[in-house]
Amino acid sequence: MRRALALWLALAPAAAAQEITETPRMLETTAGIAGYEDLQPERFGTPATPRPDEMGAILLLRIFRNTCLAAEAGAPPEAVLPSGFAAYGARAYLFGTPGPRTPTTYLSATGDILRDEEEGHPSIALGESCRIDWRLPTPPGEETARHMRYILTEHFPYIFALTRASRPEPSQPPGIATFIEWDRPCHGQWCPTSLIFDPSGGQITLTTRLNRSPRP
């Protein structure tokens, strides 16, 4: 058995997965993903109203890619708006009153933080960081929470090549809140990235620092 394995290793062609690359392999594999056309609304919902389950969580990760990472690459807020969203100043979005321009711009389908939270619409805060907040219309059931936790804690770091920064915790029951920190590859450096998932309150928050000044 050992001789057969040694012979196979000697004769088999070098696998592409074993090649040394300049960037994490998953970032190369997913580099061409953009837009939302491949995410059917009947299965995933829409950026303004994702389905309140694991399919909606997948859509939320696409919003993270299309909005946060495009903003990091230099696109202005108006260019990274998901369908159905508009850009608002901080005072207008948070308090409903006009005010001076602030470093943070809010992207929202309603322009009102209370409506977004009550009606299940995600909102995006763009500044030095990008933060996506989504409060589900109702807290997910146990089975749905388990599936959503998998998408957020396993699939999220997988597709964005995140490196764990916070200490791993034992597997948690579906209703327990989760906070995880990672480091994200960002233009040859590393950007702090975090997840808050609170099934009991139906709250999901994805946050990443944006590296808008990549190394020359």
Side-chain angles (χ1 to χ4, degrees):
M1 183 68 176
R2 290 182 180 178
R3 292 181 62 185
L5 177 60
L7 182 61
W8 181 86
L9 291 173
L11 297 178
Q18 296 300 313
E19 295 177 356
I20 297 174
T21 61
E22 294 184 354
T23 59
R25 284 169 285 167
M26 272 308 298
L27 294 190
E28 293 182 344
T29 301
T30 60
I33 294 178
Y36 303 93
E37 291 77 12
D38 59 318
L39 303 181
Q40 301 89 346
E42 61 273 16
R43 293 187 61 205
F44 298 89
T46 66
T49 310
R51 283 179 57 93
D53 56 20
E54 65 274 16
M55 307 305 281
I58 292 174
L59 178 55
L60 203 69
L61 302 190
R62 183 66 63 87
I63 295 174
F64 179 89
R65 176 185 295 280
N66 292 349
T67 300
C68 297
L69 301 192
E72 182 174 71
E78 294 76 14
V80 300
L81 285 170
S83 177
F85 283 62
Y88 300 90
R91 285 188 62 86
Y93 179 70
L94 298 175
F95 306 109
T97 59
R101 184 179 180 87
T102 62
T104 300
T105 298
Y106 285 84
L107 311 183
S108 165
T110 69
D112 185 324
I113 185 174
L114 294 180
R115 282 191 60 193
D116 281 344
E117 291 180 349
E118 292 171 357
E119 298 174 10
H121 305 294
S123 65
I124 307 161
L126 273 179
E128 292 186 353
S129 296
C130 180
R131 187 184 73 248
I132 301 175
D133 287 301
W134 181 30
R135 179 174 293 176
L136 280 66
T138 57
E142 182 173 310
E143 189 66 18
T144 298
R146 181 179 294 108
H147 293 313
M148 295 185 77
R149 188 186 301 276
Y150 166 75
I151 295 298
L152 295 168
T153 63
E154 301 293 337
H155 199 62
F156 181 42
Y158 166 66
I159 61 176
F160 293 105
L162 308 182
T163 299
R164 182 93 179 214
S166 58
R167 185 185 300 275
E169 299 289 342
S171 298
Q172 296 179 334
I176 300 299
T178 295
F179 173 68
I180 301 177
E181 292 181 297
W182 297 276
D183 290 318
R184 177 178 62 83
C186 54
H187 300 303
Q189 298 178 295
W190 295 91
C191 291
T193 302
S194 64
L195 159 73
I196 296 174
F197 177 42
D198 178 13
S200 63
Q203 180 67 35
I204 299 173
T205 300
L206 301 174
T207 306
T208 189
R209 178 64 183 255
L210 299 180
N211 179 12
R212 298 178 184 268
S213 301
R215 289 179 175 175

